[in-house]
């Protein structure tokens, strides 16, 4: 079962309560027993019946367990004469997604397709277990990984006609949950289909009844020093997707390639200009060294980076820098230069052979950037 389909189903709890009426003699039913590991309470657990295993169907049925015990019987009524796949979810945090602390049946935890059950079956057995970590695909190593071990890449997303599907990961191949994915209708302004990735970094958007094309983008928000910076993720395939047909569009959280048309990348920028009236220094010959001080906004310690400056519409710039605090030094043709924070308003900053600081929204920048001045040493 695809976890994105489950997200929509978790919103059905109230309507399922209305369906969960005594119906021991009702026709077209499936009955069974559900138990929870360790004596856990089953109260508010939703048992979901998906016709022919299709949990995106409008004919999904279900029942809500009212008992607070660890074992309870359930009956799902008004079923069609087709086989059903049964799943169970106790969404304890109310986020309409499967996350740590929720309880689900074993098939859902391991992302296995549940066996199809015929209508009239009266002995279905389900077991509810706690989600203690992000569920993994069958065969994936779920043991904690050390920082030196590269995690296994998520399983490839399967193309499904009429759906836009994909997976979002970071540069190390780790799935990223909660990333916003937007399918933008190219024919109608601001007519978007929006979803978020699940615990496995996967998403699914229904475009079966949308005879238009979609431009698909993904983004996440980085929190830094009281700011919120939106980062556009890099698509594996930037082509538009036709509605009704669908396609796979995967994304990676990594620096966006810098081009002459787009010299800014998708992370923070260090904007550099010469001291006013000083033409002895040539920014084209300058190399900056950025040394992280403490953890960066993405939780990493980062790496020392040396970079040349590129001319942009906003001046000389070093792009694709993760937000954080850096010690910045520079050279021109191998000789050290002086730096300071660029003066804004009535502020003044001292020159030095290095500058240590972070990123701000000075000069009406949309995202936090660093603004520096450079010059040759006076001595």
């Amino acid at each position: 079962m695809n976890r994105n389909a489950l997200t929509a189903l978790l919103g059905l709890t109230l309507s399922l309560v209305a369906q969960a009426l005594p119906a021991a003699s009702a026709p077209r039913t499936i009955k069974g027993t559900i138990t929870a590991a360790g004596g856990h309470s089953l109260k508010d657990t939703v048992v979901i019946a998906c016709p022919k295993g299709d949990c995106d169907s409008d004919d999904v049925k279900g029942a809500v367990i009212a008992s607070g015990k660890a074992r309870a019987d359930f009956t799902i009524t008004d079923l069609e004469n087709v086989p059903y796949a049964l799943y169970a979810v106790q969404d304890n945090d109310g986020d309409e997604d499967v996350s740590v602390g929720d309880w689900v049946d074993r098939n859902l935890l391991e992302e296995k397709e549940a066996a199809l059950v015929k209508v009239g079956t009266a002995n279905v057995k389900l077991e509810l277990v706690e989600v203690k970590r992000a569920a993994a695909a069958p065969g994936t190593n779920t043991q904690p990984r050390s920082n030196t071990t590269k995690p296994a890449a998520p399983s490839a997303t399967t193309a499904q006609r009429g759906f836009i599907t994909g997976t979002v990961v970071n540069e190390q191949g780790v799935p990223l949950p909660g990333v916003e994915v937007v399918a933008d209708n190219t024919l109608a302004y601001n007519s978007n289909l929006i979803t978020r990735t699940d615990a496995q970094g996967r998403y699914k958007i229904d475009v079966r009844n949308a005879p238009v094309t979609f431009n698909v983008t993904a983004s996440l928000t980085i929190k830094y020093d009281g700011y919120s910076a939106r980062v556009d993720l890099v698509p594996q395939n930037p082509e538009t997707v036709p509605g009704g047909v669908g396609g796979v569009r995967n994304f990676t959280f990594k620096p966006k390639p810098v081009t002459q048309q787009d010299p800014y990348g998708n992370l923070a920028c260090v904007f550099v200009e010469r001291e006013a009236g000083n033409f002895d220094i040539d920014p084209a010959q300058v190399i900056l060294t950025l040394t992280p001080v403490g953890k960066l906004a993405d939780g990493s310690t980062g790496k020392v980076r040396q970079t040349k400056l590129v001319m942009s519409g906003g001046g000389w710039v070093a792009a694709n820098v993760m937000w954080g605090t850096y010690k910045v030094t520079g050279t021109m043709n191998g000789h050290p230069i002086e730096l300071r924070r660029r003066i804004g308003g009535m502020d003044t900053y001292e020159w030095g052979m290095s500058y240590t600081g972070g990123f701000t929204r000075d000069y009406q920048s949309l995202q936090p950037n660093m603004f520096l001045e450079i010059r040759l040493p006076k001595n």
Side-chain angles (χ1 to χ4, degrees):
M1 176 186 181
N2 186 286
R3 192 85 53 74
N4 286 333
L6 173 65
T7 299
L9 294 176
L10 290 174
L12 295 175
T13 301
L14 292 177
S15 63
L16 293 178
V17 170
Q19 295 177 18
L21 299 174
S25 60
R28 302 194 309 277
T29 65
I30 293 178
K31 301 180 182 181
T33 301
I34 181 170
T35 58
H40 179 75
S41 169
L42 288 168
K43 184 173 176 57
D44 296 328
T45 296
V46 181
V47 181
I48 302 163
C50 302
K52 299 180 181 179
D54 180 11
C55 292
D56 290 317
S57 169
D58 294 333
D59 296 321
V60 168
K61 300 293 182 179
V64 178
I65 305 299
S67 171
K69 296 182 179 180
R71 184 181 187 281
D73 296 328
F74 64 86
T75 300
I76 303 177
T77 65
D78 279 337
L79 301 175
E80 302 296 328
N81 191 24
V82 297
Y84 285 79
L86 268 62
Y87 301 94
V89 183
Q90 187 184 71
D91 184 27
N92 288 324
D93 55 11
D95 64 355
E96 298 189 0
D97 198 358
V98 174
S99 52
V100 175
D102 292 341
W103 286 66
V104 301
D105 67 87
R106 290 192 179 276
N107 284 328
L108 188 54
L109 181 70
E110 298 174 3
E111 291 198 355
K112 291 181 179 178
E113 298 291 340
L116 295 180
V117 177
K118 291 182 178 180
V119 172
T121 302
N123 60 348
V124 175
K125 304 293 184 184
L126 294 175
E127 182 184 12
L128 210 65
V129 293
E130 185 179 8
V131 179
K132 295 184 178 180
R133 53 172 118 42
T140 300
N141 180 11
T142 58
Q143 296 300 316
R145 304 181 178 99
S146 69
N147 292 332
T148 59
T149 303
K150 183 176 180 180
S155 57
T157 304
T158 302
Q160 292 180 259
R161 184 171 182 82
F163 293 88
I164 302 173
T165 60
T167 304
V168 181
V169 300
N170 65 12
E171 286 189 277
Q172 292 72 43
V174 177
L176 297 178
V179 173
E180 182 180 272
V181 181
V182 178
D184 181 12
N185 183 340
T186 61
L187 299 182
Y189 175 74
N190 202 28
S191 179
N192 305 328
L193 302 175
I194 302 174
T195 189
R196 290 188 178 274
T197 55
D198 63 15
Q200 292 299 305
R202 299 173 185 146
Y203 73 92
K204 183 177 181 181
I205 299 176
D206 188 348
V207 292
R208 288 175 293 182
N209 298 314
V212 296
T213 57
F214 292 91
N215 182 43
V216 186
T217 59
S219 63
L220 56 77
T221 300
I222 295 288
K223 300 291 186 180
Y224 166 72
D225 196 26
Y227 297 112
S228 294
R230 182 184 177 94
V231 179
D232 293 326
L233 306 191
V234 178
Q236 190 178 78
N237 179 355
E239 299 297 323
T240 56
V241 179
V245 177
V248 176
R249 294 294 182 268
N250 299 320
F251 295 87
T252 304
F253 175 34
K254 64 180 181 181
K256 180 182 177 182
V258 172
T259 64
Q260 284 188 328
Q261 294 74 26
D262 182 7
Y264 305 112
N266 59 348
L267 301 176
C269 290
V270 179
F271 287 95
V272 177
E273 68 176 23
R274 293 179 291 202
E275 180 187 28
N278 187 337
F279 301 100
D280 294 333
I281 194 165
D282 181 5
Q285 304 304 318
V286 168
I287 296 178
L288 293 185
T289 299
L290 294 93
T291 304
V293 179
K295 284 194 173 183
L296 304 180
D298 64 351
S300 72
T301 55
K303 296 180 180 179
V304 177
R305 173 182 174 184
Q306 288 189 324
T307 180
K308 295 190 70 173
L309 301 176
V310 176
M311 189 59 180
S312 72
W316 294 96
V317 63
N320 283 330
V321 181
M322 177 53 66
W323 290 271
T325 300
Y326 291 84
K327 178 183 178 181
V328 186
T329 57
T331 61
M332 187 181 80
N333 298 324
H335 300 287
I337 62 174
E338 291 186 320
L339 310 94
R340 72 175 179 182
R341 180 174 170 179
R342 190 188 302 179
I343 295 174
M346 301 300 293
D347 295 325
T348 60
Y349 302 102
E350 296 295 325
W351 288 98
M353 301 309 296
S354 68
Y355 168 79
T356 299
F359 297 75
T360 64
R361 276 191 173 149
D362 295 347
Y363 304 96
Q364 298 180 339
S365 59
L366 296 178
Q367 301 212 120
N369 292 307
M370 187 182 292
F371 301 88
L372 301 178
E373 285 185 290
I374 56 175
R375 73 180 187 184
L376 294 177
K378 293 297 184 180
N379 299 336

